Amino acid sequence: MRLDLILAVSIIVANLLLGLLVITRNPKNWTNRLFAALSLLMAFWSFVSFSEDETFGRSVINLLKSLDYASASLIAYVFLLFSLNFPKAKLHVKRDLLLFIPTLLLIVLSFTDLIAYVEIVGNRVKFTYGPLGDLFSVYSFLYVVLISAVALFIKFKTLVGVEKSQTFYVLLGLISTSVIAVLTNVVLPQLINVTPAITRLGIYGFVLFLGATAYAIVRHRLLDIRLVVARTVAYSLLVFSIAIFYIGSTVLLTNFLFRTTTSTAQLLIYASLTLVVAFTFQPLRRFFEHVTDRIFFKEDYESTVLLSDLTRTMAETILIDDIAHKLLEKILAQMRITRGAFVLTDAGKIFVSETSGYKKEPSFSEKDVFSLEAIDKNLVFEDLEEGATKELLRRLDVTVVIPLKTQIDHVGVLLLGEKASGEIYSSKDIKVLEIFSPEAAISFENAKSVEKIRRFNITLKEQVERATRELKKANEALKEIDKLKDEFLSIASHDLRTPMTAIKSYLWMALNGRAGEIKNEKLKHYLDVSYTSSERMIALINDLLNVSRIEAGRVQLNFEEAALKPLVDQVFAEIASKTDEKKIVLTYEEQPKLPKVILDKQRFPEILQNLVGNAIKFTPEKGKITVKSSLSQEAGFVEISVTDTGVGMTKEGIDKLFTKYGRLENSYAAAATSGGTGLGLYITKNYVELLGGKIWVKSEVGKGSSFIFTLRIAERSVLDEMRQESEKKNFAASVPKI
């Protein structure tokens, strides 16, 4: 018996299996692809190298020689790619193609005598280097020893954890195998006259590669195929044991009964047939069992496998309907049962009912279900005597009833129909269901809690959605009321302004003697009070109209470039009588060379009048108000501030200062000698924002306040953009809503 043949075949088969396992486990991963290619090439090279020492014709030896050097070149190239990309493959197409050019050249040269040629010395075959033989040696050294080993060594030094361990064993196995193969098949044949036993050491050296890889797989989860390898090894050991037994028996019978010796060819044939039988036995058994099952509906099942599968399903599923459905499908399929149902109960009612296999959806009454629960034991139709219970099962078309209960309470029942084969339930079937039912009851009880929460959430969500719809409806109604209120205020304010303007005009003429001099001082006082009240009323009406326009989006602005000082002087002239009355010093400070700004010449004075007017209200006599304009820290803006020496305000007051009807009842407003609508600052803020700026306030109780707002610096592009935007808004506001 040729042990070298058995050893070589074992190594070749092991390489093939390892390569196939790796590529089938994850065919999309480039690390797996490269490793599989390396294993398959090593198997092929081992076969070619072993065959070279057998007795063949010169032409066959020449072909084997060419395949030997060509496959060795490919091994070196794939080995290099694997080393560069292990453990996390990231291919570089240009680099890899560049590295393949020398490989392709050597493959082509391998089929000539330039790399090596065949010499027949007696009965032995010898490969002698040709003119370019050294090129092959340099190539092998560079690709296998130098670049690959260095790349793996660098990765070994930089990686940590399990990847470091994987790299170490792959490096150890590949380097050891490669060094032995190169020494025994390349170096030594050029130095001494070696025997086939020496050259085959290169093939046997692959044991080191297989051993190191196998250890990395088992110990460090290399290439994620540990589970597959474990199962494959177990099956291979079984096949190997069968093969050894049958081959040994065949050899012994041949030698002792027939007194003949077994040749190597016969031994190989016996081994091949034994392996074929061993590998095809299980598939053939499963095939014929499947055929008979389809005919007789008697497919058997592994109870432990079924119970494990059911347990895993219960552990992986949360929703009660899904658990019941999946468990029912597995039980019916594995035990070959025609139909079944889980009926789960809670608080005296049916909580969930899940069925499968019924042609028409069954209806289980609560009375029938609770009657079955009350019996509190497994029921098999064939084992029952005639009576109410058997009649109930007959009416429900049920063959087996399995109660589902925990240590505390009943959870429900499992109802099963007859088996597809027509046979009665075996003791094995009942035992499996008895083992399964307590675990299922606990799983359903836990899932029931989840289901209650889920149903509560659904109910809560529906209530929230209903309440939200009602709130939206109420909000829409409030919006409509608010809109009607604004429309009423707008109409009322407009209708009130005309007579109030007339009243004010006639009062002014009376006070100024247009109808004759008023000599009665009391009458003059009454007229003066009436005139002041009419002014206040007209201001209130104007504020209401402005708010109405702002909220309806009907404020039309005319943007233009303007210098600030003329407009500020105009405002100062209009309010001079008020400042003189309280002997307040009103000054304006402007930064030199201040650029023009973009504003509306009608709205800007209103803004400044509101701010200065507020300052006058809350600044004591002989106080000071300063209006100052300068470049803002924010690019493209000018900053205007109105600072007074009044009573100041608290932070709480500042927070509601710019809201509609935001009158202050504490520090800031308490000192006011006259009331207000609470709309002035709200209108001012909206005007400032419509002009592209923003407004804010700084204040401290007892030290006064400073209102600051910004306006855009006049630039042609900005002005054009603001005008276009204003035209769009004005057009949209003018389109009636349908």
Side-chain angles (χ1 to χ4, degrees):
M1 184 180 297
R2 291 185 58 183
L3 293 176
D4 60 339
L5 174 63
I6 294 175
L7 185 57
V9 170
S10 300
I11 292 172
I12 292 169
V13 171
N15 267 306
L16 288 172
L17 288 176
L18 187 59
L20 291 173
L21 283 174
V22 169
I23 193 62
T24 53
R25 180 62 176 173
N26 191 354
K28 294 183 179 180
N29 185 281
W30 272 103
T31 302
N32 289 47
R33 291 179 180 181
L34 291 171
F35 186 86
L38 191 60
S39 298
L40 297 175
L41 283 169
M42 284 181 172
F44 178 75
W45 180 82
S46 301
F47 169 76
V48 171
S49 184
F50 185 87
S51 301
E52 289 170 346
D53 296 319
E54 299 300 313
T55 305
F56 294 108
R58 189 179 185 89
S59 59
V60 175
I61 296 296
N62 266 316
L63 177 60
L64 291 172
K65 179 269 301 180
S66 300
L67 293 174
D68 184 341
Y69 282 91
S71 58
S73 302
L74 273 175
I75 288 173
Y77 173 69
V78 176
F79 183 19
L80 176 61
L81 291 187
F82 180 80
S83 303
L84 293 173
N85 293 286
F86 180 82
K88 296 179 180 178
K90 187 178 180 181
L91 298 183
H92 300 275
V93 178
K94 291 183 179 179
R95 179 200 66 186
D96 297 341
L97 288 175
L98 189 64
L99 291 172
F100 183 67
I101 294 174
T103 307
L104 182 61
L105 177 63
L106 285 174
I107 291 172
V108 174
L109 292 175
S110 297
F111 289 89
T112 68
D113 291 337
L114 295 174
I115 297 293
Y117 57 89
V118 178
E119 286 185 337
I120 307 296
V121 181
N123 293 327
R124 293 181 54 203
V125 177
K126 180 182 178 182
F127 294 159
T128 304
Y129 266 177
L132 299 179
D134 292 335
L135 178 63
F136 178 80
S137 300
V138 172
Y139 167 83
S140 302
F141 177 78
L142 281 175
Y143 274 43
V144 178
V145 179
L146 190 60
I147 303 177
S148 300
V150 169
L152 284 173
F153 182 75
I154 292 172
K155 290 181 181 181
F156 171 72
K157 296 296 286 184
T158 56
L159 291 172
V160 293
V162 67
E163 290 182 345
K164 185 181 184 73
S165 302
Q166 291 174 351
T167 306
F168 172 75
Y169 289 107
V170 170
L171 176 64
L172 180 65
L174 286 174
I175 294 298
S176 302
T177 300
S178 301
V179 168
I180 293 174
V182 170
L183 283 175
T184 57
N185 287 267
V186 178
V187 179
L188 289 179
Q190 305 305 318
L191 301 177
I192 60 174
N193 190 16
V194 297
T195 63
I198 297 297
T199 59
R200 284 174 182 170
L201 285 175
I203 303 173
Y204 307 149
F206 282 111
V207 173
L208 297 174
F209 168 71
L210 292 171
T213 304
Y215 183 80
I217 289 169
V218 175
R219 185 70 178 84
H220 299 290
R221 306 189 301 276
L222 177 66
L223 302 175
D224 196 25
I225 61 168
R226 181 168 58 173
L227 180 61
V228 179
V229 169
R231 292 177 177 174
T232 304
V233 168
Y235 192 69
S236 300
L237 288 173
L238 175 64
V239 172
F240 182 73
S241 301
I242 293 172
I244 292 295
F245 175 75
Y246 283 114
I247 293 171
S249 300
T250 303
V251 171
L252 289 173
L253 288 172
T254 302
N255 289 341
F256 289 102
L257 292 180
F258 301 105
R259 302 292 179 183
T260 59
T261 58
T262 305
S263 66
T264 302
Q266 290 174 321
L267 189 63
L268 288 174
I269 292 172
Y270 294 155
S272 300
L273 290 174
T274 303
L275 289 173
V276 169
V277 172
F279 277 108
T280 56
F281 174 74
Q282 288 289 353
L284 287 172
R285 181 182 70 82
R286 285 195 296 269
F287 172 73
F288 286 115
E289 283 182 352
H290 181 68
V291 171
T292 55
D293 289 339
R294 294 190 58 162
I295 298 173
F296 300 107
F297 302 98
K298 292 182 180 181
E299 184 173 4
D300 197 11
Y301 62 92
E302 291 287 343
S303 57
T304 55
V305 174
L306 175 58
L307 288 170
S308 176
D309 197 15
L310 295 173
T311 301
R312 184 167 56 254
T313 300
M314 288 185 282
E316 293 174 350
T317 314
I318 298 176
L319 297 179
I320 194 168
D321 292 330
D322 292 344
I323 295 175
H325 175 74
K326 291 179 180 179
L327 292 179
L328 202 57
E329 290 295 320
K330 291 180 185 298
I331 291 171
L332 298 186
Q334 291 293 318
M335 300 180 74
R336 306 294 291 176
I337 300 171
T338 55
R339 61 191 177 277
F342 277 111
V343 184
L344 307 177
T345 59
D346 182 70
K349 294 182 178 180
I350 293 177
F351 189 71
V352 170
S353 177
E354 183 69 30
T355 64
S356 180
Y358 288 88
K359 293 181 180 179
K360 183 180 179 181
E361 189 69 21
S363 177
F364 302 107
S365 68
E366 291 177 353
K367 179 182 177 182
D368 293 339
V369 172
F370 286 110
S371 297
L372 294 173
E373 276 191 350
I375 298 172
D376 198 23
K377 65 177 181 179
N378 299 333
L379 302 176
V380 181
F381 184 83
E382 289 79 6
D383 297 342
L384 295 174
E385 296 181 358
E386 290 294 334
T389 303
K390 192 165 187 175
E391 182 59 30
L392 176 59
L393 264 63
R394 184 180 288 114
R395 182 164 55 82
L396 295 175
D397 199 14
V398 171
T399 303
V400 171
V401 178
I402 304 295
L404 304 173
K405 58 181 180 178
T406 63
Q407 293 180 350
I408 301 174
D409 196 9
H410 283 87
V411 177
V413 289
L414 170 60
L415 309 177
L416 298 172
E418 67 272 6
K419 301 195 74 172
S421 62
E423 294 184 341
I424 63 172
Y425 283 77
S426 65
S427 57
K428 174 184 175 182
D429 298 331
I430 301 301
K431 186 65 177 176
V432 167
L433 295 172
E434 286 178 347
I435 296 171
F436 160 72
S437 60
E439 189 176 354
I442 295 172
S443 178
F444 282 129
E445 190 66 22
N446 294 334
K448 196 187 296 181
S449 301
V450 176
E451 181 65 16
K452 288 179 180 178
I453 295 172
R454 190 180 73 85
R455 291 183 181 183
F456 173 77
N457 288 337
I458 292 173
T459 304
L460 182 61
K461 183 180 178 183
E462 290 174 351
Q463 291 176 348
V464 169
E465 288 177 349
R466 184 168 61 252
T468 303
R469 287 195 299 270
E470 291 173 356
L471 285 173
K472 284 182 177 179
K473 188 176 180 181
N475 188 44
E476 291 298 324
L478 287 173
K479 285 182 178 179
E480 187 64 28
I481 292 171
D482 190 56
K483 182 181 177 182
L484 291 173
K485 179 206 70 176
D486 289 340
E487 288 178 358
F488 168 76
L489 286 175
S490 178
I491 295 169
S493 300
H494 188 273
D495 290 344
L496 284 171
R497 187 167 61 172
T498 301
M500 285 306 302
T501 303
I503 292 171
K504 177 186 173 183
S505 298
Y506 283 113
L507 286 170
W508 182 87
M509 286 189 291
L511 285 169
N512 285 275
R514 294 296 177 91
E517 184 180 354
I518 300 174
K519 296 180 179 180
N520 189 327
E521 290 298 325
K522 185 174 286 189
L523 176 60
K524 187 175 182 179
H525 172 71
Y526 291 158
L527 290 173
D528 192 45
V529 171
S530 299
Y531 179 78
T532 303
S533 297
S534 67
E535 276 190 324
R536 189 178 301 162
M537 179 64 74
I538 290 172
L540 171 61
I541 292 169
N542 286 334
D543 284 347
L544 291 172
L545 281 171
N546 286 333
V547 169
S548 174
R549 292 191 188 104
I550 288 169
E551 294 186 344
R554 290 186 279 108
V555 177
Q556 295 186 359
L557 297 175
N558 182 25
F559 294 110
E560 54 186 305
E561 298 181 11
L564 284 173
K565 192 171 187 314
L567 295 174
V568 174
D569 291 341
Q570 175 189 331
V571 172
F572 278 17
E574 292 174 0
I575 61 177
S577 59
K578 294 182 180 179
T579 56
D580 292 342
E581 184 182 345
K582 296 184 71 175
K583 298 178 182 179
I584 292 173
V585 178
L586 179 62
T587 59
Y588 174 62
E589 299 176 6
E590 182 176 283
Q591 179 180 324
K593 298 182 180 179
L594 189 71
K596 290 183 178 181
V597 295
I598 300 173
L599 48 70
D600 182 297
K601 288 186 177 180
Q602 178 184 350
R603 305 301 176 187
F604 175 77
E606 291 184 39
I607 294 171
L608 197 57
Q609 280 178 353
N610 277 334
L611 295 178
V612 175
N614 273 340
I616 293 171
K617 281 182 184 180
F618 304 113
T619 299
E621 290 187 3
K622 298 181 181 180
K624 183 178 181 181
I625 299 173
T626 304
V627 178
K628 184 178 180 181
S629 56
S630 60
L631 287 174
S632 174
Q633 292 182 352
E634 184 178 0
F637 286 87
V638 165
E639 189 173 283
I640 301 103
S641 64
V642 178
T643 305
D644 62 54
T645 57
V647 294
M649 68 189 88
T650 62
K651 183 180 183 305
E652 292 76 12
I654 293 174
D655 290 340
K656 69 174 188 176
L657 198 60
F658 294 105
T659 59
K660 189 161 60 170
Y661 308 113
R663 290 183 60 183
L664 305 182
E665 303 300 332
N666 47 29
S667 60
Y668 187 70
T673 57
S674 60
T677 63
L679 295 173
L681 290 177
Y682 173 76
I683 294 168
T684 299
K685 177 178 180 292
N686 279 276
Y687 281 168
V688 169
E689 290 175 351
L690 287 171
L691 290 171
K694 54 188 176 182
I695 187 169
W696 67 96
V697 63
K698 297 178 182 178
S699 183
E700 188 175 345
V701 176
K703 293 186 178 181
S705 304
S706 182
F707 286 79
I708 307 105
F709 66 97
T710 58
L711 295 175
R712 302 290 295 269
I713 292 175
E715 294 179 4
R716 176 54 56 183
S717 59
V718 176
L719 181 59
D720 291 343
E721 182 182 344
M722 292 176 70
R723 284 173 173 170
Q724 290 174 5
E725 189 66 27
S726 177
E727 288 174 2
K728 290 179 183 177
K729 289 181 180 179
N730 293 338
F731 176 77
S734 66
V735 177
K737 294 182 180 179
I738 299 174

